[in-house]
């Protein structure tokens, strides 16, 4: 970031972050060089940071201050990951699937927590990784919940990777479908034979806070189980939305106006083929035959899915 465009907050945060990530307590010269500030400017900002407790000065070196330690302690109790973890644990137990929590970043989503059953140890956890919208259900759910004008950075990332935006196989059609149903589904786009089902948590329209994603083998997210998985995922994301809104807050808005038993397509490709041929099933990645989930919407699901039922 050019120096002339940096605000006082930018400079202060850059110094706090530099102090926090240093392998050993840095000196003023080290910090100024790392964050790209003049030594005198860095010193003036550090004086304020020391006064406010964000940085501690020890001789000619700097360490994280007491304010950072208090914030870290509070984050351990009240962070998004801490608040969401019981919800993720219950969802994984009810479905027998891996569950992850993702937050939106500038042009991707970041995985900040993962619950993975032992039976799915062969599936990558992707903990801490940034995921593009065209390969994963989580970021697709988040992008679909954004205002259309805010989707451009995510779409550019997909386009730069060679993924088409327009046409029946384009990302815009995927986003529109996800926005309409409230659920994002992908089959094998990042890893065969893995599939994922995601839904955004939206406490304010157009501003998704996070997404919760179920991840498992593609054969386990088929037309016979998709409706139940969606309902369990809906319950979990609605619960997390209420937790984040807090007591007395308005009910979080749904990422979709779909009815409680509405079903998303079993796959992007399957839904497209089904729409072209209403009487025909679809063939998602991996060669598995999947019919339109709406056809099985009247089936009565069992109250939960157990890991044993997935084996």
């Amino acid at each position: 970031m050019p120096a002339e465009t940096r605000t006082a907050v930018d400079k202060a945060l850059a110094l706090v972050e530099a102090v926090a990530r240093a392998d050993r307590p840095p000196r003023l010269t080290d910090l100024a060089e790392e964050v790209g500030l003049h030594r005198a400017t860095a010193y003036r900002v550090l004086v304020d940071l020391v006064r406010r407790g964000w940085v501690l000065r020890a001789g000619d070196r700097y360490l994280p201050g007491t304010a950072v330690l208090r914030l870290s302690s509070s984050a351990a109790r009240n962070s998004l990951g801490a608040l969401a973890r019981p919800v993720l644990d219950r969802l994984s137990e009810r479905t027998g699937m891996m569950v992850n929590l993702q937050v939106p970043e500038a042009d991707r989503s970041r995985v900040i927590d993962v619950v993975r059953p032992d039976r799915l140890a062969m599936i990558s956890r992707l903990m801490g990784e940034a995921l593009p919208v065209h390969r994963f259900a989580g970021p697709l759910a988040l992008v679909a919940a954004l205002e259309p004008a805010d989707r451009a950075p995510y779409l550019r990332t997909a386009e730069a990777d060679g993924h088409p935006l327009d046409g029946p196989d384009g990302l815009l059609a995927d986003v529109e479908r996800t926005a309409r149903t409230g659920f994002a589904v992908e089959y094998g786009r990042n890893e065969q034979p893995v599939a994922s089902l995601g839904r955004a948590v939206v406490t304010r329209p157009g501003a998704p806070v996070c997404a919760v994603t179920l991840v498992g083998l593609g054969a386990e997210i088929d037309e016979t189980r998709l409706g139940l998985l969606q309902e369990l995922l809906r319950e979990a994301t609605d619960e997390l939305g209420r937790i984040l809104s807090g007591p007395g807050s308005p009910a979080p808005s749904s990422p979709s106006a779909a009815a409680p038993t509405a079903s998303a397509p079993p796959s992007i490709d399957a839904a497209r083929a089904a729409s072209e041929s209403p009487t025909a099933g679809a063939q998602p990645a991996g060669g598995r035959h999947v019919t339109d989930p709406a056809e099985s919407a009247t089936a009565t699901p069992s109250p939960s899915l157990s890991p044993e039922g997935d084996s």
Side-chain angles (χ1 to χ4, degrees):
M1 180 182 295
E4 61 270 19
T5 67
R6 299 172 74 174
T7 66
V9 174
D10 289 326
K11 297 171 186 176
L13 290 176
L15 286 167
V16 170
E17 292 168 355
V19 171
R21 65 173 172 261
D23 294 334
R24 57 195 298 269
R27 294 185 173 90
L28 171 61
T29 302
D30 302 326
L31 291 171
E33 181 178 349
E34 180 171 350
V35 302
L37 292 175
H38 190 279
R39 191 173 184 275
T41 301
Y43 177 76
R44 288 195 298 270
V45 177
L46 284 167
V47 167
D48 287 338
L49 291 173
V50 170
R51 177 174 56 83
R52 295 293 299 269
W54 289 97
V55 172
L56 174 67
R57 183 172 180 179
D60 63 346
R61 296 184 180 274
Y62 295 87
L63 298 85
T66 56
V68 173
L69 301 179
R70 290 197 304 272
L71 181 63
S72 299
S73 177
S74 176
R77 299 189 307 272
N78 300 318
S79 68
L80 174 59
L83 293 172
R85 189 56 186 262
V87 177
L88 305 186
D89 284 336
R90 283 193 295 273
L91 183 58
S92 180
E93 182 178 358
R94 296 182 73 186
T95 62
M97 291 190 165
M98 184 162 74
V99 180
N100 68 46
L101 180 69
Q102 302 176 32
V103 294
E105 293 193 345
D107 59 358
R108 301 167 189 262
S109 70
R110 180 81 60 179
V111 179
I112 64 170
D113 199 7
V114 179
V115 178
R116 184 177 64 181
D118 291 341
R119 73 181 191 88
L120 296 177
M122 79 294 291
I123 299 179
S124 303
R125 294 178 72 244
L126 301 178
M127 180 65 182
E129 295 195 25
L131 311 182
V133 64
H134 57 294
R135 290 169 57 191
F136 298 90
L140 179 57
L142 288 168
V143 171
L146 290 170
E147 296 292 344
D150 297 328
R151 296 169 180 169
Y154 304 89
L155 302 180
R156 283 196 295 268
T157 297
E159 192 172 33
D161 198 37
H163 193 85
L165 298 186
D166 300 311
D169 296 323
L171 182 57
L172 292 176
D174 296 344
V175 171
E176 188 280 330
R177 184 180 301 107
T178 301
R180 185 177 67 251
T181 65
F183 294 95
V185 188
E186 68 80 26
Y187 284 88
R189 287 196 170 186
N190 182 68
E191 181 181 355
Q192 286 283 9
V194 178
S196 57
L197 171 68
R199 187 171 190 255
V201 176
V202 183
T203 58
R204 181 167 54 88
V209 178
C210 58
V212 178
T213 303
L214 287 168
V215 183
L217 299 177
E220 298 177 344
I221 306 181
D222 60 10
E223 73 276 15
T224 64
R225 298 164 58 93
L226 185 61
L228 177 55
L229 291 173
Q230 287 175 322
E231 186 58 31
L232 294 175
L233 180 57
R234 183 194 302 277
E235 292 175 6
T237 50
D238 285 351
E239 179 185 1
L240 182 53
R242 289 190 293 270
I243 292 171
L244 297 176
S245 297
S249 300
S253 60
S254 170
S256 155
T261 57
S263 295
S267 75
I268 300 299
D269 297 331
R272 183 171 297 119
S275 66
E276 295 171 354
S277 177
T279 60
Q283 195 78 10
R288 183 169 45 80
H289 180 78
V290 177
T291 58
D292 186 340
E295 297 175 1
S296 58
T298 57
T300 302
S302 57
S304 66
L305 294 173
S306 64
E308 288 79 3
D310 295 332
S311 58

